[in-house]
């Protein structure tokens, strides 16, 4: 088995790589800054000819590529006009290049897994949604729609495409959880706003197992929401996080404070 992972140095890509290398799977990463520390890995830059060559010998392609929505740290979270453009264009350009490479390749992969997010549905409050629900109209919803569309059409080439709309991925190795945990470590943690906003989460290990299932099960196709069975609101999540870290809940973070600090990006924490 050979798998090509675009954006493979991020949280999910790194977890997939660690898991698949244990099974002697050949992994090639497409990355602008690979920084490889494992001799078993191969990395290539974003070059159409090189990607096409790799796809010719790959069984599966996983597209996770795109600039971080939340940024590398709280100070980088604010969505400036330039940052919003980067978030959107990095996803579209990467997806379109993968689609072109598959079109040019002689031997097509069996499957393309296209990452997306439950932000596709917009802020629906407490209303549950499923894969058939319509998209939202805010910035994140628009980004998700464009990201999914960037690789559309490979189905006509005989490639099975699975779109994965990810919930909030929780891992101690990065992503959202360390950022949410930081205030608690300084005894400053608590719910955000009124704490009623929904948090549809999923553990990183379940993400890895799900991707493996998609690759190995030829009947999987189209769209999947990847979240734990039961979402919780922010108040319940905050209380559980405090208990896990053995910290009290002293404060409530006012929604207006985050809106001032982060601007439009505050929707990541304030809205469900």
């Amino acid at each position: 088995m050979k798998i090509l992972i675009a954006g493979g140095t991020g949280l999910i890509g790194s977890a997939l790589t660690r898991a698949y290398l244990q099974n002697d799977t050949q992994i090639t990463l497409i990355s602008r800054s690979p920084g490889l520390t494992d001799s078993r890995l191969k990395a290539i830059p974003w070059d159409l000819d090189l990607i096409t060559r790799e796809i010719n010998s790959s069984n599966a392609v996983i597209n996770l590529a795109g600039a971080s929505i939340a940024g590398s740290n709280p100070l980088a979270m604010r969505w400036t006009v330039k940052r919003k453009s980067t978030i959107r264009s990095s996803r579209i350009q990467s997806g379109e290049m993968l689609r072109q490479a598959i079109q040019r390749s002689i031997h097509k992969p069996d499957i393309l897994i296209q990452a997306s997010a439950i932000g596709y549905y917009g802020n629906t409050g407490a209303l549950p949604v499923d894969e058939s629900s319509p998209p939202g109209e805010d910035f994140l919803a628009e980004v998700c729609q464009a990201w999914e569309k960037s690789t559309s059409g490979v189905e006509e080439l005989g490639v099975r495409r699975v779109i994965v709309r990810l919930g909030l991925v929780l891992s101690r190795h990065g992503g959202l959880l360390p950022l949410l945990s930081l205030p608690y470590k300084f005894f400053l943690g608590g719910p955000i706003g009124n704490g009623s906003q929904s948090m549809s989460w999923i553990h990183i290990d379940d993400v890895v197992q799900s991707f493996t299932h998609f690759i190995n099960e030829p009947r999987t196709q189209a769209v999947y929401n990847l979240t734990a069975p039961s979402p919780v609101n922010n108040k319940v999540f905050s209380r559980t996080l405090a208990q896990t870290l053995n910290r009290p809940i002293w404060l409530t973070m006012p929604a207006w404070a985050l809106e001032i600090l982060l601007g439009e990006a505050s929707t990541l924490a304030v809205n469900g």
Side-chain angles (χ1 to χ4, degrees):
M1 173 73 72
K2 182 176 179 181
I3 301 177
L4 179 65
I5 305 178
T9 56
L11 175 65
I12 298 174
S14 297
L16 291 170
T17 298
R18 287 192 298 269
Y20 293 158
L21 285 178
Q22 294 178 4
N23 297 325
D24 296 325
T25 300
Q26 297 181 55
I27 301 293
T28 299
L29 306 180
I30 311 173
S31 178
R32 293 177 176 84
S33 53
L36 297 183
T37 58
D38 195 314
S39 59
R40 295 172 296 175
L41 288 173
K42 179 180 180 180
I44 60 173
W46 282 95
D47 177 89
L48 183 58
D49 291 335
L50 291 177
I51 295 173
T52 303
R53 191 179 307 160
E54 286 298 318
I55 286 178
N56 272 320
S57 58
S58 296
N59 304 100
V61 177
I62 299 175
N63 183 26
L64 304 166
S68 172
I69 295 289
S72 56
N73 60 73
L75 298 178
M77 284 183 67
R78 198 172 185 89
W79 291 344
T80 62
V81 172
K82 180 179 179 180
R83 177 153 173 73
K84 288 173 74 172
S85 176
T86 299
I87 288 171
R88 189 179 189 279
S89 63
S90 63
R91 284 162 173 76
I92 295 174
Q93 292 171 6
S94 300
E96 289 180 344
M97 184 176 290
L98 285 174
R99 181 178 60 189
Q100 292 175 31
I102 290 174
Q103 289 172 337
R104 291 177 50 173
S105 65
I106 297 173
H107 302 287
K108 312 299 183 189
D110 298 323
I111 181 174
L112 167 66
I113 299 180
Q114 171 61 56
S116 185
I118 56 173
Y120 173 94
Y121 304 105
N123 179 20
T124 61
L127 180 69
V129 297
D130 61 22
E131 293 83 356
S132 64
S133 300
E137 298 179 351
D138 58 13
F139 171 65
L140 288 181
E142 189 273 336
V143 167
C144 289
Q145 293 172 66
W147 202 10
E148 294 179 13
K149 185 178 179 181
S150 68
T151 56
S152 64
V154 298
E155 300 93 335
E156 299 171 4
L157 302 172
V159 178
R160 180 165 53 94
R161 189 170 75 123
V162 171
I163 297 172
V164 179
R165 293 175 185 159
L166 290 153
L168 306 174
V169 180
L170 301 184
S171 168
R172 67 180 62 188
H173 299 295
L176 182 69
L177 189 58
L179 183 63
L180 293 177
S181 301
L182 188 61
Y184 292 88
K185 294 180 178 179
F186 292 97
F187 296 87
L188 298 173
I192 298 172
N194 60 21
S196 65
Q197 61 271 42
S198 296
M199 300 183 68
S200 291
W201 60 278
I202 185 166
H203 192 279
I204 185 65
D205 290 348
D206 291 323
V207 173
V208 172
Q209 292 297 324
S210 297
F211 275 58
T212 302
H213 174 72
F214 294 139
I215 291 172
N216 294 332
E217 177 48 71
R219 291 177 297 180
T220 57
Q221 61 180 348
V223 179
Y224 294 84
N225 289 328
L226 216 56
T227 66
S230 300
V232 297
N233 62 33
N234 179 255
K235 188 176 294 183
V236 172
F237 184 92
S238 299
R239 183 168 63 245
T240 305
L241 182 57
Q243 292 172 349
T244 302
L245 297 174
N246 195 26
R247 292 290 192 271
I249 292 181
W250 294 109
L251 302 172
T252 295
M253 173 66 74
W256 59 262
L258 281 179
E259 291 168 355
I260 292 175
L261 178 65
L262 303 177
E264 187 180 357
S266 65
T267 60
L268 291 172
V270 174
N271 295 335

